[in-house]
Amino acid sequence: MINKLRAKIIIVITLILTLAVFGIMFSINAIETSRNRSEIETKIIRIADNDGFLPSDFESIDPYSDSQSGFTDCFSIQVDHFYNVRRVILSRTVEIEQEEIISYANEALNTGQSYGELGNYAFYIQPKLYGRIIVFMDIRTYNQIQKNLLYSTSLIGLLTILGFFLLSIALAFWLVKPVKETFDKQKLFISNASHELKTPLAVISANTDVLETETGENKWLGYIRSETTRMNELVNELLCLARLDDKTGHKPVMTEFNLTDVFLQTVLPFESRVFELGKQLEVDAAPDIKYKGDQSQIRHIITILLDNAVKYSDEHGLIRARLYTRSSKKIIEVYNTGEGVPKDKLNKIFERFYRRDEARNSSSGGYGLGLAIAKASAEANGGKISAQSEYGKWICFTVTL
């Protein structure tokens, strides 16, 4: 539980910060792209306004200076109303053949747009009294600046996300520490209290036997014996949970065994109990299924599910226990007719001490621990348990190993 809580905190923190980093990266690149496009458009329009010649303030800039990049790498074509070339104007830094210039001009005219991009050039077409002026500006420098910015922000973003991830791990351990300490104390208390309760319960049970021998049977001693039995069951379930929670002190004993035999040996003793209650038990087990796991825990899982099915099936209801394989999976199913569980409660029934009907009294038996133990035992064996139900009709538990 603690590890899952840590993982959730790490995922949530990292996801939120990752979205924030990507948002910032996107904003920076979008703003810079917009600024560059606006600057290119402004410059190319000014050249067109000057009839294809560089404005005087452009000419005054050092042609070899980085700040001048993109200003003089351009060429212009003047065409008449019949698209005949009147004049070609080249900036000082452009070296391009006239055939290529005319090809670019034709492509720009064929687009039907006044402004756009062709390869490494941005173009702008402006009507004139004599016809049109088509201005081309080399935008490779702008594109390279944009790529460099994208690479830089991506690298910084990834390093930032990695840093946030490591920070979230440390933060998760710090945040969960008080919860872990409380949970450890709770486990220790349950374990100690369960052990301490076993002795007085044994004494009460022994004294009840002595009194019964001396005074004979009576309803008061019967009540004591009944409640002592219930308390013993609760203590044993709490001890079982404590052992399952103690990952370091109690590990499943993994051995290979015949799962079919264990399944039948656990299920068949329920036949007499089911028969006495006027219910029906159907058993279906595939032959000779081998499994490597903790045999005692698997038995306990089957016992818990069958006990639940007997308790909560309807009068004259059907209980069905199945064992079969699907691919490499071993599947145990326990089905019973009865009230079932609403869909919104199916996940909660595996929580400790959870009872769908909080008003349930001791006559119904159970403490809300059985399914929690079954789930923990299944997970300890590398499996999982799930439930499906049609409320008011049936419920089916599936253990996948």
Side-chain angles (χ1 to χ4, degrees):
M1 186 186 77
I2 298 298
N3 289 334
K4 287 182 179 178
L5 182 59
R6 283 200 192 106
K8 285 181 180 178
I9 291 173
I10 292 170
I11 291 170
V12 169
I13 292 175
T14 305
L15 182 61
I16 291 173
L17 295 177
T18 298
L19 291 174
V21 169
F22 274 111
I24 293 170
M25 287 169 53
F26 177 79
S27 299
I28 291 173
N29 282 276
I31 291 170
E32 185 63 19
T33 300
S34 176
R35 190 189 68 81
N36 285 341
R37 294 309 173 205
S38 177
E39 186 175 329
I40 292 169
E41 190 172 351
T42 300
K43 291 175 180 177
I44 204 169
I45 289 174
R46 286 192 61 193
I47 295 172
D49 290 341
N50 204 40
D51 213 20
F53 294 94
L54 293 176
S56 58
D57 55 328
F58 286 18
E59 291 284 4
S60 65
I61 300 174
D62 180 4
Y64 300 102
S65 170
D66 288 340
S67 62
Q68 200 262 350
S69 297
F71 277 72
T72 55
D73 294 345
C74 59
F75 57 90
S76 305
I77 308 169
Q78 296 178 355
V79 295
D80 60 22
H81 293 289
F82 301 100
Y83 301 107
N84 297 313
V85 177
R86 297 179 70 249
R87 185 173 185 180
V88 175
I89 306 162
L90 301 176
S91 65
R92 294 171 301 177
T93 58
V94 172
E95 294 181 2
I96 188 169
E97 298 294 331
Q98 185 157 336
E99 292 80 3
E100 191 174 355
I101 292 173
I102 295 172
S103 174
Y104 271 116
N106 289 331
E107 283 188 57
L109 290 168
N110 288 334
T111 63
Q113 300 174 348
S114 61
Y115 178 80
E117 292 182 10
L118 290 173
N120 295 321
Y121 291 94
F123 69 86
Y124 177 65
I125 304 174
Q126 187 180 81
K128 296 287 185 179
L129 291 175
Y130 55 78
R132 287 178 176 79
I133 180 74
I134 309 169
V135 181
F136 290 88
M137 177 182 289
D138 192 330
I139 57 173
R140 280 177 291 187
T141 302
Y142 288 98
N143 290 339
Q144 189 59 48
I145 291 172
Q146 196 64 41
K147 286 181 182 178
N148 292 341
L149 178 64
L150 180 61
Y151 293 151
S152 299
T153 53
S154 298
L155 179 60
I156 294 171
L158 290 174
L159 292 175
T160 303
I161 291 169
L162 178 61
F164 281 144
F165 175 71
L166 297 175
L167 180 63
S168 67
I169 293 175
L171 189 60
F173 273 85
W174 178 71
L175 289 173
V176 171
K177 186 178 179 182
V179 179
K180 184 177 183 303
E181 290 175 354
T182 303
F183 188 66
D184 289 341
K185 288 176 183 177
Q186 175 188 308
K187 289 193 297 182
L188 182 61
F189 169 76
I190 290 174
S191 179
N192 292 341
S194 300
H195 281 291
E196 292 298 326
L197 283 170
K198 288 185 76 68
T199 301
L201 286 172
V203 172
I204 292 170
S205 182
N207 287 333
T208 303
D209 291 338
V210 173
L211 283 173
E212 191 174 56
T213 303
E214 293 182 356
T215 64
E217 290 186 14
N218 63 69
K219 64 178 182 179
W220 311 113
L221 290 177
Y223 293 154
I224 294 173
R225 189 184 301 283
S226 174
E227 293 305 313
T228 303
T229 301
R230 291 188 69 250
M231 281 295 294
N232 267 315
E233 290 175 358
L234 174 59
V235 167
N236 288 332
E237 288 186 345
L238 289 172
L239 281 172
C240 182
L241 273 177
R243 286 194 296 270
L244 288 168
D245 286 335
D246 187 6
K247 305 294 185 185
T248 56
H250 179 81
K251 294 182 179 179
V253 180
M254 299 298 187
T255 55
E256 187 169 349
F257 60 92
N258 191 309
L259 182 58
T260 302
D261 290 345
V262 170
F263 178 79
L264 292 174
Q265 290 165 11
T266 309
V267 173
L268 294 179
F270 278 84
E271 281 187 329
S272 58
R273 181 178 165 192
V274 171
F275 178 76
E276 288 174 1
L277 293 171
K279 301 179 182 182
Q280 183 183 357
L281 174 62
E282 293 181 359
V283 182
D284 179 19
D288 201 32
I289 297 177
K290 304 293 183 181
Y291 181 67
K292 187 174 183 181
D294 190 310
Q295 187 175 149
S296 64
Q297 289 186 352
I298 300 301
R299 286 182 185 273
H300 200 181
I301 293 170
I302 299 169
T303 301
I304 289 170
L305 296 180
L306 275 169
D307 188 57
N308 265 13
V310 173
K311 284 179 182 176
Y312 302 118
S313 54
D314 53 354
E315 189 177 1
H316 308 300
L318 171 66
I319 299 164
R320 184 185 300 124
R322 295 181 62 206
L323 170 65
Y324 59 94
T325 59
R326 183 190 297 147
S327 299
S328 61
K329 310 285 187 185
K330 282 75 176 174
I331 312 293
I332 299 170
E333 281 185 1
V334 178
Y335 163 96
N336 68 270
T337 56
E339 184 181 2
V341 177
K343 287 186 178 180
D344 60 332
K345 307 282 183 161
L346 280 175
N347 289 329
K348 294 183 179 180
I349 61 177
F350 295 103
E351 296 176 3
R352 299 178 185 191
F353 301 104
Y354 175 78
R355 286 181 171 186
R356 184 170 59 84
D357 181 4
E358 296 295 342
R360 241 170 39 185
N361 54 36
S362 60
S363 64
S364 64
Y367 305 93
L369 290 174
L371 291 177
I373 292 172
K375 180 183 178 184
S377 298
E379 290 175 350
N381 282 268
K384 62 181 181 179
I385 185 170
S386 60
Q388 298 83 37
S389 177
E390 184 175 347
Y391 186 51
K393 293 186 177 180
W394 57 268
I395 186 168
C396 181
F397 290 94
T398 303
V399 181
T400 305
L401 299 170

